[in-house]
Amino acid sequence: MMEEGSGGGRSNYNHMNDAKNERRVGLIYDQRMCKHRTPYGDDHPEKPDRITVIWNKLELAGIPQRCVILNAKEAKDEYICAVHSKNHVNLIRNISSKEYSKRNRIASKLNSIYLNEGSSESAYLAAGSVIEVAEKVAKGELNSAFAIVRPPGHHAEYDEAMGFCLFNNIAIAASFLLDQRPELGINKILIVDWDVHHGNGTQKTFWSDPRVLFFSVHRHEFGRFYPANFDGFYTMVGEGPGAGYNINVPWENGRCGDADYLAVWDHVLVPVAKEFNPDIILVSAGFDAAVGDPLGGCRLTPHGYSVLLKKLMDFAQGRIVLALEGGYNLDSLANSALACMEVLLEDKPISELSEAYPFESTWRVIQAVRQMLSAYWPTLADKLPTKLTDQKAPPHILLSSSESDDEDDDASKIISKDLVQAIADVVEPILNLKIEDYHDEVNSALWRSKLSKTDIWYAGFGSNMWKSRFLCYIEGGQVIGMKKLCSGSVDRNPPKETRWKTFPHRLFFGRDFTQTWGPGGVAFLDPRSNSEDKAYMCLYKITLEQFNDVLLQENVPDHDMNSPLFDLNALDSILNEGSIPVEAVKRGWYHNVVYLGMEDDIPILTMTCPLSAMESFKSGEIPLCAPSKDYADTLVRGLVEGKQLSEEEATTYIQVASTKPL
């Protein structure tokens, strides 16, 4: 018999294989996972329709009748806790029973997450369903399987839900096979993440684990595409025993299609997979790189997905588990999922792709990835022949957003080959002149990747004591009273933690006008300590990369950031020297970085004027000036919301600081 359960209220299927040699393919779908939806009924890309359209498409094609239909099961806490913290598991387990308003407050503090009364059950079913199909494939009861699940999982980290993901379904299943079922003989797992976004949570889970080869191909754009950091850059290869077992292929641009993905498969993934020789393959099967996806902006076709999957079936005796991740164009999502199921069932021969060529940027990324990983995988050591890499698509012509996202194949939108070539003849020489821009982008990405791994405490003593104001430097924007917007940091993740401390330094107000606040003085801190002084400071735990962006915005926002303003060497030096003026932004008023001590073995840094400016303030060469009401109110808000002082005490604190002589 082919059924093992009902697809969450769907019909049972009780059919024998039409052919004895047909592969046994598992399928899980459960309507209970549709209960996770936005609390207000608002439209959202990650909506219940995503899984229902897949199931309906498969039913119309007669796919479920040929599959083993499995029951969705909730994952056990012990299996989830192998990947997530106990606090996180408790949060997701209990979130649906919390009051409506409390749920929304929790969701508002998370990155791209909504929660409702059905979220807990859906999250547990999604994780449990992927475990269920992975175990049956590992046992040999199934050849392969597809878990049609939501919410997705690959962004979820150890202690944080993010990017529509609550539990990391694929990481939980991989951990289960490796650590909970050793008798199955699964010692090496290849995880392929073809979702258009980087699988940051999965990467971090197996960062040091050589049993898991994690491969992610994703739109990155030098850290500008979600999740908007450098975890997905090609230099992130793992560490310790896991070094070389983490492979990132970061697209520099959107509109990558079948030819681009196939080139990565042929020249990175397939050669490494041959060497690695996995026992099973788990696919984070996001379909948001598909044609027409509103979030992805890439151009993979259903046929493209089928070719990529077919190439994977040459490994691990075809033991493959697909777990749904993203995919937000419902038609493309359903068509791509059907194409993949037809491959798992070995319906028909899969022809190679047409004579399309990858972008020039694709070859550039592939060669950078191969060079980076060649020390770990000798099969990547050879340089690709020029004859191959010269086969490239015309330059990437960016149309208006409405044009570039419209993937309809209307004849009126087809550009003739002659016109494309004419455009290429004009644009190609210009692009060749811009090669130094690419090197600048790479240099920027490299230092950002490196500094993103080091945390510091940034101590705010002025308007940055109010968290909402400080977040303008991280997320961009402005608060009440500000006259101009902040650009924000490249990494827009909020501070990991916030604390308050007092320090023996003098707070005072100087200058008489700023572009950000208009007329009035702004806060400065005497870089020298004095036991008779006391300054309140709000400490934000951020990365050294983010600190560089804050330092830039506080001083000279238009400065080129191809290299860091304050690097790891400077961090080492400041521990002994106490303060370091940053010459690159010396035109700014806050270019003197001051070391204030340690908190949990993490250095506390602030930025203020240099000692030379202190003498100018004292002499009157630079004016001392009381703050404007808008600016002073910002400091008061910070002190009051931070529960350091009452409103009256905070007002007095600022008044004393603005009137007491230096």
Side-chain angles (χ1 to χ4, degrees), residues 213 244 247 268-277 373 377 379-380:
L213 173 61
I247 301 177
V268 178
L269 177 55
V270 169
V272 173
K274 285 180 181 176
E275 275 198 52
F276 183 65
N277 191 23
L373 289 162
W377 303 102
T379 187
L380 301 181

Side-chain angles (χ1 to χ4, degrees), residues 218-238:
H218 47 269
R219 191 170 168 185
H220 188 254
E221 298 181 18
F222 299 98
R224 290 187 288 267
F225 196 74
Y226 191 88
N229 56 44
F230 286 90
D231 288 347
F233 203 52
Y234 68 82
T235 56
M236 307 299 287
V237 298

Side-chain angles (χ1 to χ4, degrees), residues 370 374 377-383:
R370 286 173 61 94
S374 60
W377 303 102
T379 187
L380 301 181
D382 292 340
K383 190 172 181 180

Side-chain angles (χ1 to χ4, degrees), residues 187-191 209-214 244-245 269-281 315 377 379:
N187 300 310
K188 293 188 292 182
I189 297 177
L190 168 60
I191 297 179
D209 194 337
R211 299 175 300 171
V212 175
L213 173 61
F214 176 65
Y245 291 90
L269 177 55
V270 169
V272 173
K274 285 180 181 176
E275 275 198 52
F276 183 65
N277 191 23
D279 298 315
I280 193 171
I281 298 174
F315 303 99
W377 303 102
T379 187

Side-chain angles (χ1 to χ4, degrees), residues 154 191-195 197-199 202 214-217 284 325:
H154 69 151
I191 297 179
V192 175
D193 190 331
W194 67 40
D195 189 280
H197 303 95
H198 178 238
T202 313
F214 176 65
F215 172 89
S216 179
V217 54
S284 272
E325 298 283 2

